[in-house]
Amino acid sequence: MKLLETADDAYDEAWCVLDVDEFTDIDQALREADRNRIGIALSNPCFEVWLLLHFTDHRKHAPSYDRLVPILNKHTPGGYSKTGLDFRHYEDGWREAVRRARQLAPDGKELEVNPSTGMWKLALAIGGPQ
């Protein structure tokens, strides 16, 4: 919030990217974001759902991050690394990822649907890869 308060008019929008899997006070975070007009890109159970959708139409329940990584490894050159994420591996599939993500859950219902991700809203807001 401090960064947003000091940004003046430097930015058109502010976004929060968060996962369901390890978030303990998600309802509070969602209310706070709404109150402050911060966009939410919520993934259930985790951000890796969004990445996986760049390669495949994954709809199977995902109990955790640990269950998605082996699937993502099959599609990511050199294997998936959370700390060494190379977005170039995903740029060709971003439009498909948006389409697939929109089909997983209605807008704003990502908390209720597993798997799902609202990352498509942020991808469209920034215009995707140039």
Side-chain angles (χ1 to χ4, degrees):
M1 291 302 301
K2 290 180 184 179
L3 181 59
L4 183 59
E5 291 168 0
T6 61
D8 297 320
D9 292 328
Y11 303 100
D12 295 329
E13 299 178 29
W15 284 81
C16 180
V17 176
L18 52 110
D19 295 349
V20 169
D21 63 353
E22 295 182 20
F23 211 100
T24 57
D25 54 353
I26 198 155
D27 291 328
Q28 178 184 350
L30 294 175
R31 284 191 303 273
E32 186 76 16
D34 186 52
R35 185 171 34 255
N36 290 285
R37 296 186 323 245
I38 296 172
I40 292 290
L42 178 71
S43 295
N44 187 356
C46 56
F47 177 76
E48 285 71 18
V49 169
W50 169 246
L51 298 177
L52 189 56
L53 293 175
H54 286 70
F55 304 106
T56 187
D57 193 10
H58 184 84
R59 295 174 181 261
K60 185 177 178 185
H61 178 81
S64 68
Y65 160 86
D66 293 334
R67 291 279 182 78
L68 288 176
V69 170
I71 302 167
L72 195 50
N73 278 334
K74 293 176 184 176
H75 297 284
T76 308
Y80 172 69
S81 169
K82 190 173 210 146
T83 59
L85 195 58
D86 185 345
F87 286 101
R88 291 176 297 179
H89 297 307
Y90 305 92
E91 66 185 349
D92 290 341
W94 82 272
R95 283 186 178 86
E96 274 301 299
V98 166
R99 185 187 65 75
R100 291 169 176 154
R102 292 179 89 167
Q103 291 176 346
L104 289 176
D107 187 10
K109 299 293 185 182
E110 294 85 9
L111 186 58
E112 302 167 22
V113 178
N114 177 324
S116 65
T117 180
M119 279 298 300
W120 64 269
K121 295 178 279 189
L122 179 54
L124 291 178
I126 61 175
Q130 301 301 314

